[in-house]
PDB file of all heavy atoms in Angstrom:
ATOM      1  N   ARG D  92     -30.278   6.097  32.746  1.00  0.00           N
ATOM      2  CA  ARG D  92     -30.348   4.683  33.128  1.00  0.00           C
ATOM      3  C   ARG D  92     -29.819   4.440  34.531  1.00  0.00           C
ATOM      4  O   ARG D  92     -29.511   3.312  34.907  1.00  0.00           O
ATOM      5  CB  ARG D  92     -29.592   3.843  32.103  1.00  0.00           C
ATOM      6  CG  ARG D  92     -30.306   3.777  30.759  1.00  0.00           C
ATOM      7  CD  ARG D  92     -29.367   3.352  29.634  1.00  0.00           C
ATOM      8  NE  ARG D  92     -30.087   3.213  28.381  1.00  0.00           N
ATOM      9  CZ  ARG D  92     -30.463   4.230  27.603  1.00  0.00           C
ATOM     10  NH1 ARG D  92     -30.186   5.471  27.969  1.00  0.00           N
ATOM     11  NH2 ARG D  92     -31.112   4.022  26.473  1.00  0.00           N
ATOM     12  N   GLY D  93     -29.667   5.526  35.286  1.00  0.00           N
ATOM     13  CA  GLY D  93     -29.221   5.392  36.666  1.00  0.00           C
ATOM     14  C   GLY D  93     -27.750   5.091  36.814  1.00  0.00           C
ATOM     15  O   GLY D  93     -27.321   4.541  37.836  1.00  0.00           O
ATOM     16  N   MET D  94     -26.943   5.457  35.816  1.00  0.00           N
ATOM     17  CA  MET D  94     -25.503   5.207  35.859  1.00  0.00           C
ATOM     18  C   MET D  94     -24.746   6.507  36.068  1.00  0.00           C
ATOM     19  O   MET D  94     -25.129   7.564  35.550  1.00  0.00           O
ATOM     20  CB  MET D  94     -25.022   4.564  34.557  1.00  0.00           C
ATOM     21  CG  MET D  94     -25.544   3.163  34.310  1.00  0.00           C
ATOM     22  SD  MET D  94     -24.904   2.451  32.759  1.00  0.00           S
ATOM     23  CE  MET D  94     -23.169   2.240  33.173  1.00  0.00           C
ATOM     24  N   ALA D  95     -23.661   6.443  36.807  1.00  0.00           N
ATOM     25  CA  ALA D  95     -22.730   7.562  36.879  1.00  0.00           C
ATOM     26  C   ALA D  95     -21.856   7.560  35.630  1.00  0.00           C
ATOM     27  O   ALA D  95     -21.639   6.509  35.009  1.00  0.00           O
ATOM     28  CB  ALA D  95     -21.867   7.453  38.133  1.00  0.00           C
ATOM     29  N   PHE D  96     -21.364   8.734  35.267  1.00  0.00           N
ATOM     30  CA  PHE D  96     -20.570   8.854  34.032  1.00  0.00           C
ATOM     31  C   PHE D  96     -19.397   9.805  34.278  1.00  0.00           C
ATOM     32  O   PHE D  96     -19.567  10.886  34.833  1.00  0.00           O
ATOM     33  CB  PHE D  96     -21.415   9.395  32.884  1.00  0.00           C
ATOM     34  CG  PHE D  96     -20.666   9.524  31.580  1.00  0.00           C
ATOM     35  CD1 PHE D  96     -20.586   8.458  30.700  1.00  0.00           C
ATOM     36  CD2 PHE D  96     -20.031  10.713  31.254  1.00  0.00           C
ATOM     37  CE1 PHE D  96     -19.876   8.567  29.509  1.00  0.00           C
ATOM     38  CE2 PHE D  96     -19.319  10.840  30.062  1.00  0.00           C
ATOM     39  CZ  PHE D  96     -19.241   9.766  29.189  1.00  0.00           C
ATOM     40  N   ALA D  97     -18.208   9.378  33.845  1.00  0.00           N
ATOM     41  CA  ALA D  97     -17.015  10.217  33.939  1.00  0.00           C
ATOM     42  C   ALA D  97     -16.365  10.329  32.566  1.00  0.00           C
ATOM     43  O   ALA D  97     -16.089   9.317  31.919  1.00  0.00           O
ATOM     44  CB  ALA D  97     -16.017   9.617  34.935  1.00  0.00           C
ATOM     45  N   SER D  98     -16.154  11.568  32.110  1.00  0.00           N
ATOM     46  CA  SER D  98     -15.459  11.820  30.841  1.00  0.00           C
ATOM     47  C   SER D  98     -13.995  12.093  31.162  1.00  0.00           C
ATOM     48  O   SER D  98     -13.669  13.107  31.772  1.00  0.00           O
ATOM     49  CB  SER D  98     -16.093  13.004  30.115  1.00  0.00           C
ATOM     50  OG  SER D  98     -16.148  14.153  30.952  1.00  0.00           O
ATOM     51  N   LEU D  99     -13.132  11.186  30.739  1.00  0.00           N
ATOM     52  CA  LEU D  99     -11.747  11.170  31.207  1.00  0.00           C
ATOM     53  C   LEU D  99     -10.852  11.992  30.284  1.00  0.00           C
ATOM     54  O   LEU D  99     -10.905  11.855  29.059  1.00  0.00           O
ATOM     55  CB  LEU D  99     -11.253   9.723  31.258  1.00  0.00           C
ATOM     56  CG  LEU D  99     -10.140   9.393  32.234  1.00  0.00           C
ATOM     57  CD1 LEU D  99     -10.556   9.722  33.658  1.00  0.00           C
ATOM     58  CD2 LEU D  99      -9.789   7.913  32.135  1.00  0.00           C
ATOM     59  N   GLY D 100     -10.003  12.845  30.881  1.00  0.00           N
ATOM     60  CA  GLY D 100      -9.055  13.642  30.117  1.00  0.00           C
ATOM     61  C   GLY D 100      -7.620  13.225  30.363  1.00  0.00           C
ATOM     62  O   GLY D 100      -7.297  12.612  31.383  1.00  0.00           O
ATOM     63  N   TYR D 101      -6.745  13.601  29.438  1.00  0.00           N
ATOM     64  CA  TYR D 101      -5.321  13.265  29.523  1.00  0.00           C
ATOM     65  C   TYR D 101      -4.544  14.256  28.658  1.00  0.00           C
ATOM     66  O   TYR D 101      -5.098  14.889  27.754  1.00  0.00           O
ATOM     67  CB  TYR D 101      -5.062  11.830  29.041  1.00  0.00           C
ATOM     68  CG  TYR D 101      -5.676  11.519  27.678  1.00  0.00           C
ATOM     69  CD1 TYR D 101      -4.951  11.692  26.502  1.00  0.00           C
ATOM     70  CD2 TYR D 101      -6.987  11.072  27.571  1.00  0.00           C
ATOM     71  CE1 TYR D 101      -5.513  11.414  25.265  1.00  0.00           C
ATOM     72  CE2 TYR D 101      -7.562  10.791  26.340  1.00  0.00           C
ATOM     73  CZ  TYR D 101      -6.820  10.973  25.189  1.00  0.00           C
ATOM     74  OH  TYR D 101      -7.386  10.709  23.965  1.00  0.00           O
ATOM     75  N   GLY D 102      -3.271  14.381  28.922  1.00  0.00           N
ATOM     76  CA  GLY D 102      -2.422  15.252  28.125  1.00  0.00           C
ATOM     77  C   GLY D 102      -2.273  14.742  26.700  1.00  0.00           C
ATOM     78  O   GLY D 102      -2.433  13.546  26.429  1.00  0.00           O
ATOM     79  N   LEU D 103      -1.951  15.642  25.783  1.00  0.00           N
ATOM     80  CA  LEU D 103      -1.923  15.315  24.363  1.00  0.00           C
ATOM     81  C   LEU D 103      -0.515  15.392  23.785  1.00  0.00           C
ATOM     82  O   LEU D 103       0.345  16.110  24.286  1.00  0.00           O
ATOM     83  CB  LEU D 103      -2.836  16.273  23.588  1.00  0.00           C
ATOM     84  CG  LEU D 103      -4.309  16.314  24.019  1.00  0.00           C
ATOM     85  CD1 LEU D 103      -5.063  17.366  23.212  1.00  0.00           C
ATOM     86  CD2 LEU D 103      -4.965  14.944  23.879  1.00  0.00           C
TER      87      LEU D 103
END
Side-chain angles (χ1 to χ4, degrees):
R92 290 161 176 78
M94 293 181 68
F96 181 88
S98 54
L99 206 59
Y101 51 92
L103 302 177

